[in-house]
Amino acid sequence: MLVAWELSNPQLSEVTVSGGIWTGIQVSSCWPSFFAQILLEFNFWAPGKQPAPVVSGKWEGAVKSQEGDQKELILDELGGWTQCLGLGLSTQQSYREPSLLLMACLSLSQLQKFQEDGFLVLEGFFSADECVAMQQRIGEIVAKMDVPVHCRTEFSTQEEEQLRAQGSTDYFLSSGDKIRFFFEKGVFDKKGNFLVPPEKSINKIGHALHAHDPVFKRVTHSPKVQALARSLGLQMPMVVQSMYIFKQPRFGGEVSPHQDASFLYTEPLGRVLGLWIAVEDATLENGCLWFIPGSHTSGVSRRMVRAPAGSAPGTCFLGSEPARDNSLFVPTPVQRGALVLIHGEVVHRSEQNLSNRSRQAYTFHLMEASGTIWSPENWLQPTAELPFPPLYT
């Protein structure tokens, strides 16, 4: 785990560490075409080795600053505990932030655990201030919510209800490039009027917060998220969707066992990754995530696909969700600011929130686009207005 480094030149535009057990630093300059003198000081610490640095040194050299010109400094073989780090840093303040440095890169043991279990918890990935900023922004969005009665869609993960409520409405099927509101069951009367305060009725907001809202765009494309994706070896990750999930107190809906790849299917499989951010504490009482460790290795049991144009409902399921042994599920309570990595094929669920506390989360999905076909049968499709944006900026 990278704990600290120091750069003597704050004008340095990009620093990345790359390689497997070999660690390097690539330096790129952002100035017009000329040679720039750069002094780079570095200190790396391995877990359990503090305060003595494992590698320490200084490098001074000239870097030509035309686009694409890079100078790489190979530091040393660090025994495999460091994998890959990529940070877009432009000020002294940003690279001194502890959470950025501590959480941006997965260790070898973390990578192995993710590969074995299909999910991984990274506590403290986001700060309390970042979580508050997301909550405040979503409050502003909800305050301006204006959903016509005929578009008020109740969200469900039960198959028949999904096909009836979401699969039959264009409001859901055309939401991939928009910010739209979806509601809990039982919050409307027969005429579509709210039976509870509107702000307490929302199940989720989706599916393009990452593209259209500046706060969620910054979170999605933050340097530490990009660094995390690089440490997983993603070459061309694209952001395919995003959601803000409310899990309302006392009636926030159950999410039945499922695999994300059932809805976000690729060929080959294994190219979809969910990043689930706990904006509030997720506990056993308010509906934390539950996983079946290792269940990402058995393929996809069912798929939700678009029906032919003009058909009703607009989606259907191929295959079926098998009965799951509840004893296989492992609860995963996390604190506010945690990030949970979710393999596209790992089976997971969450229970109804019967507590008096909400369990808000922001989640988005990445697809590794290199060598991958996004199924044209998926309900979610890129549009001319919003092609899937690349994660790396």
Side-chain angles (χ1 to χ4, degrees):
M1 180 77 66
L2 179 64
V3 175
W5 63 11
E6 297 178 1
L7 299 177
S8 62
N9 193 328
Q11 299 181 81
L12 200 60
S13 65
E14 182 179 359
V15 177
T16 65
V17 177
S18 59
I21 62 174
W22 284 87
T23 302
I25 292 182
Q26 294 179 328
V27 181
S28 301
S29 124
C30 60
W31 303 295
S33 180
F34 64 88
F35 281 85
Q37 289 295 123
I38 292 178
L39 177 64
L40 180 64
E41 296 181 0
F42 52 89
N43 291 283
F44 292 96
W45 286 265
K49 300 290 186 179
Q50 301 172 353
V54 172
V55 178
S56 181
K58 182 181 292 187
W59 176 76
E60 185 173 4
V63 177
K64 190 174 182 180
S65 59
Q66 290 179 329
E67 185 175 351
D69 284 340
Q70 294 181 322
K71 184 75 174 180
E72 180 171 339
L73 171 66
I74 300 298
L75 299 179
D76 199 355
E77 182 176 1
L78 303 182
W81 58 267
T82 288
Q83 289 296 301
C84 173
L85 178 64
L87 299 175
L89 305 176
S90 58
T91 67
Q92 284 181 310
Q93 185 69 28
S94 64
Y95 55 71
R96 296 181 189 276
E97 182 181 324
S99 63
L100 182 65
L101 295 173
L102 286 169
M103 301 305 299
C105 181
L106 296 182
S107 67
L108 184 59
S109 62
Q110 287 174 317
L111 285 168
Q112 290 174 336
K113 184 165 180 58
F114 177 65
Q115 291 165 0
E116 291 170 2
D117 293 346
F119 68 98
L120 181 70
V121 174
L122 300 174
E123 289 282 4
F125 195 92
F126 287 92
S127 68
D129 288 345
E130 289 170 312
C131 293
V132 168
M134 285 188 275
Q135 284 185 292
Q136 290 178 340
R137 179 57 186 149
I138 213 70
E140 294 168 358
I141 292 172
V142 170
K144 297 178 181 179
M145 175 179 65
D146 183 17
V147 181
V149 171
H150 70 279
C151 293
R152 294 177 180 174
T153 301
E154 294 181 348
F155 185 81
S156 172
T157 61
Q158 302 299 321
E159 185 168 313
E160 291 184 4
E161 293 174 346
Q162 277 184 313
L163 295 179
R164 183 173 64 251
Q166 289 116 247
S168 62
T169 172
D170 184 65
Y171 183 79
F172 172 79
L173 293 176
S174 62
S175 64
D177 60 355
K178 301 174 182 67
I179 297 175
R180 286 188 167 168
F181 302 84
F182 303 92
F183 300 92
E184 293 287 354
K185 292 187 292 183
V187 299
F188 301 122
D189 64 18
K190 293 181 179 180
K191 295 182 179 180
N193 299 312
F194 287 103
L195 296 172
V196 299
E199 68 275 9
K200 298 295 184 182
S201 67
I202 305 172
N203 175 286
K204 71 173 187 176
I205 298 175
H207 290 93
L209 284 163
H210 63 278
H212 297 312
D213 185 84
V215 171
F216 292 97
K217 187 173 185 177
R218 282 196 300 270
V219 169
T220 305
H221 295 274
S222 63
K224 54 189 170 185
V225 168
Q226 296 187 46
L228 180 61
R230 287 190 174 100
S231 76
L232 287 162
L234 300 183
Q235 300 176 34
M236 296 175 57
M238 302 292 184
V239 188
V240 299
Q241 71 162 4
S242 56
M243 299 177 286
Y244 195 94
I245 302 169
F246 289 80
K247 205 74 164 179
Q248 300 284 0
R250 290 178 292 281
F251 62 86
E254 170 194 10
V255 177
S256 58
H258 69 283
Q259 299 166 291
D260 292 343
S262 293
F263 310 93
L264 310 173
Y265 190 83
T266 61
E267 294 181 356
L269 286 169
R271 302 303 181 93
V272 169
L273 175 70
L275 289 85
W276 190 96
I277 301 162
V279 180
E280 297 179 311
D281 291 349
T283 67
L284 290 172
E285 292 74 28
N286 70 2
C288 69
L289 297 173
W290 293 65
F291 292 91
I292 299 181
S295 57
H296 61 301
T297 60
S298 302
V300 173
S301 58
R302 67 169 182 159
R303 290 181 56 196
M304 180 182 183
V305 300
R306 279 187 179 249
S311 301
T315 60
C316 64
F317 280 98
L318 304 178
S320 60
E321 197 69 35
R324 309 283 186 185
D325 182 350
N326 280 335
S327 67
L328 297 177
F329 283 93
V330 174
T332 311
V334 295
Q335 295 181 338
R336 178 176 66 171
L339 184 147
V340 184
L341 290 175
I342 304 175
H343 189 285
E345 287 133 72
V346 71
V347 178
H348 57 291
R349 65 177 175 87
S350 66
E351 297 180 349
Q352 186 177 11
N353 181 9
L354 298 178
S355 77
N356 59 4
R357 296 180 58 191
S358 60
R359 191 227 63 188
Q360 295 183 15
Y362 173 60
T363 181
F364 58 95
H365 285 87
L366 304 177
M367 173 191 64
E368 170 56 80
S370 179
T372 305
I373 298 174
W374 180 260
S375 175
E377 296 180 315
N378 288 339
W379 78 267
L380 175 71
Q381 295 295 326
T383 64
E385 293 76 20
L386 183 62
F388 292 153
L391 175 70
Y392 299 149
T393 56

